[in-house]
Amino acid sequence: MRKTLRLALGAAVLLAVSGYAVATNYTLWINGRSNSATVGNHADFRYWGPATTAAGVNKKSVNWDGYNSIANTNGRVRDALDCYCTGNNWCYIAAHSAGNLQIGYALALYGTSTRSIKTPTPNSAGQCSNAGGGTQAGWNIKWVRVAGGAGGGSELANAGDWALSEPLVSDLKTSTARALYNHNLTQGKIFYLYAGARGTLYSGLLPGQDDEAIAYHSSGGISGNSGGGYCNPSDWWCNDLTLGTAAAEGGRAKWTNHTVAFRDDGEAFNHYNANNWAGIVGRMRTDVVNSAQ
């Protein structure tokens, strides 16, 4: 017993002297529009639901305001990526709605930039201190999962169905969202997409299948300068949104490294998580829990 204890203590001393740091995995949740959680507080899960709900290893809520433009708020996302996804640490990313634009923007514009390696202990502003002078290119990200992704924008923003005074709504217009950054530049990170289809009559402005806020052309990662109508295979009146990375029926390709992991053939999931891990977020959360370990 004493020999075992001495060996354990000796190993601990050796690790301390060598400066070796144990790798830790984190799961970062990037919110969409209208977030009431405290910006910079990575423990505040009010946007998503009860913080006690399983949502991947070492889960953190990135918390940007969900109101201002992507360009003016993306620094909050980059701060979190710096905190938890540098050095020996790695991240799983889960995003909802406009959170798709946030992580896509960060990777396309800053994914090869020089980042200071941080100690994962953020201050009240959600920023972490340098771990000791080291740097790296971009972030350590295993994969990105997106529920109801607004990477391709929403026709509801085009039509003014959301408050036009919100700067974010301008970014959510289909032509603006698609031109905001090069969606093909993911720095090799795979985006697994979850497309909900429980639309309603008032979402008639959205072409093809939709989750009440986002149409399949956006949540399914379909490329191009504007949206189009895409549906489930059971619907004969528009082209199918295909699973995986294959082009949609009709030949329109998906963005590079974007793959449809879930298509709501049963039309059971809407866009809204209702602050309770609901809707298409809930469907994605199941896969995050099983994969983010």
Side-chain angles (χ1 to χ4, degrees):
M1 180 68 178
R2 289 180 179 177
K3 182 178 179 181
T4 301
L5 180 59
R6 285 197 301 271
L7 289 173
L9 289 173
V13 170
L14 180 60
L15 290 177
V17 171
S18 66
Y20 176 79
V22 177
T24 302
N25 293 336
Y26 295 90
T27 308
L28 305 190
W29 287 81
I30 305 176
N31 61 272
R33 180 171 170 260
S34 301
N35 184 17
S36 62
T38 302
V39 172
N41 182 350
H42 298 161
D44 189 341
F45 276 82
R46 270 180 287 176
Y47 177 89
W48 303 101
T52 53
T53 301
V57 64
N58 296 318
K59 64 182 183 292
K60 304 292 180 181
S61 186
V62 172
N63 286 330
W64 61 285
D65 64 20
Y67 175 87
N68 285 295
S69 70
I70 300 299
N72 287 335
T73 55
N74 192 249
R76 296 289 186 177
V77 176
R78 300 196 303 272
D79 284 343
L81 295 173
D82 289 343
C83 278
Y84 304 109
C85 318
T86 57
N88 292 312
N89 300 329
W90 284 77
C91 287
Y92 304 98
I93 307 296
H96 178 224
S97 194
N100 185 175
L101 289 172
Q102 289 284 17
I103 186 59
Y105 186 95
L107 287 174
L109 274 65
Y110 299 94
T112 60
S113 62
T114 300
R115 317 306 302 178
S116 294
I117 296 172
K118 303 287 186 177
T119 300
T121 51
N123 60 22
S124 60
Q127 298 173 324
C128 293
S129 59
N130 292 341
T135 62
Q136 67 177 65
W139 300 284
N140 307 328
I141 295 173
K142 292 179 179 286
W143 47 246
V144 178
R145 294 184 188 269
V146 182
S154 172
E155 286 74 12
L156 298 185
N158 297 355
D161 276 30
W162 294 322
L164 294 180
S165 60
E166 296 181 28
L168 177 62
V169 171
S170 294
D171 283 351
L172 287 171
K173 293 179 179 180
T174 52
S175 59
T176 305
R178 290 170 175 272
L180 195 60
Y181 57 91
N182 186 343
H183 291 53
N184 294 304
L185 293 182
T186 70
Q187 314 309 331
K189 313 307 179 186
I190 305 299
F191 280 53
Y192 295 95
L193 308 177
Y194 294 72
R198 191 178 180 182
T200 59
L201 291 177
Y202 73 75
S203 61
L205 291 171
L206 298 165
Q209 219 81 48
D210 67 84
D211 62 9
E212 295 187 36
I214 302 294
Y216 266 9
H217 70 77
S218 181
S219 58
I222 304 297
S223 65
N225 296 324
S226 60
Y230 297 92
C231 300
N232 293 326
S234 59
D235 296 317
W236 292 1
W237 43 275
C238 68
N239 288 327
D240 294 352
L241 173 67
T242 55
L243 292 170
T245 59
E249 184 181 21
R252 174 63 69 180
K254 299 182 178 83
W255 286 306
T256 302
N257 292 325
H258 287 64
T259 181
V260 176
F262 175 79
R263 180 188 60 209
D264 188 9
D265 291 358
E267 301 182 16
F269 299 95
N270 69 12
H271 187 73
Y272 305 104
N273 66 317
N275 306 123
N276 196 31
W277 304 99
I280 194 65
V281 167
R283 176 61 187 82
M284 178 180 71
R285 185 190 67 83
T286 298
D287 287 355
V288 170
V289 170
N290 290 333
S291 301
Q293 300 175 3

